[in-house]
Structure formats: C-alpha cells, structure tokens
Amino acid sequence: MLVRVSGEFETADIAEIVSGKIKSGVNGIKRTGIVYSREATALEGIEHKTRYTLLPTAVTRQNYFTAVMESDIPKSSFEEPRFRSNAYVYIICEAESAMNVKSLMSAYGGMKIKVSDS
C-alpha cells in the first residue's frame, strides 16, 4: 500500500537536500515533490517597487491641493516570516518505508510532518 509523507521546511534549499537524501537512501520511494511557498515568491523583487502617498497640503474653496510623495518600499516594512521561502516536501512511498521517511524529515528539521494514505 502506498502512503504520502509530507512536511514543511524553513528554506527551499533544505527541502531539496532532504528530498534528495530520502530518494537515494530509503527503499520503496515511488515519487518525490517539492511545493514552494507562494507568499515568498510573491514578495520577491519588492525592494525595486515604489510606494506613492497622497498628502493633503491645502484646502481652498475651489480646489483641493495634494502632493505626491514617492518612496522606495523597504524590505523591513514586512515581517520576517513573510520572507521565508518555506517549502513543502511530499514523498509517496510504500507503507513499510513511511517511518524511515518521517524520521529523516524530522532529523533535518521538518515541521508539521504528516503520514496519510494516498
């Protein structure tokens, strides 16, 4: 019977290393895959964007004058966890190998490791 073992890793590099180590070191592996965090990829290149702010400067009877202020978006304005490029590794293997895969994932710092039937 085939089972799916999945876990979350802090960086994509660690996820790729773990996937390779499990694939080469554990018998009964049928398929491996990595799902990269969408949140981290959506924020790539944020330092090259500009923020525009409209500032009210004066209010008269006929017109409402505003000023436009441009500034670069600093990376520090976003929380650190949003910049983590978390990656999820999933391994489809035979049921006899599931505990070996789970223990290797936890040894390499895997979080939220789940074993489920596929």
Side-chain angles (χ1 to χ4, degrees), residues 51-63:
R51 174 179 27 202
Y52 297 97
T53 308
L54 294 175
L55 300 172
T57 56
V59 178
T60 63
R61 273 187 216 170
Q62 293 87 13
N63 295 326

Side-chain angles (χ1 to χ4, degrees), residues 75-96:
K75 258 189 167 177
S76 61
S77 65
F78 295 97
E79 310 87 50
E80 186 270 333
R82 295 193 66 185
F83 281 107
R84 274 196 218 151
S85 56
N86 288 354
Y88 300 90
V89 174
Y90 66 89
I91 310 286
I92 297 176
C93 63
E94 296 185 16
E96 297 83 26

Side-chain angles (χ1 to χ4, degrees), residues 38-114:
R38 291 183 190 155
E39 196 168 277
T41 56
L43 289 174
E44 283 179 9
I46 194 85
E47 67 272 2
H48 302 296
K49 302 203 183 212
T50 304
R51 174 179 27 202
Y52 297 97
T53 308
L54 294 175
L55 300 172
T57 56
V59 178
T60 63
R61 273 187 216 170
Q62 293 87 13
N63 295 326
Y64 182 72
F65 296 106
T66 59
V68 177
M69 188 173 80
E70 294 181 16
S71 62
D72 293 333
I73 298 177
K75 258 189 167 177
S76 61
S77 65
F78 295 97
E79 310 87 50
E80 186 270 333
R82 295 193 66 185
F83 281 107
R84 274 196 218 151
S85 56
N86 288 354
Y88 300 90
V89 174
Y90 66 89
I91 310 286
I92 297 176
C93 63
E94 296 185 16
E96 297 83 26
S97 305
M99 294 313 291
N100 291 341
V101 171
K102 185 177 177 182
S103 64
L104 278 172
M105 281 186 172
S106 64
Y108 279 98
M111 302 171 285
K112 302 178 188 173
I113 300 171
K114 298 177 188 172

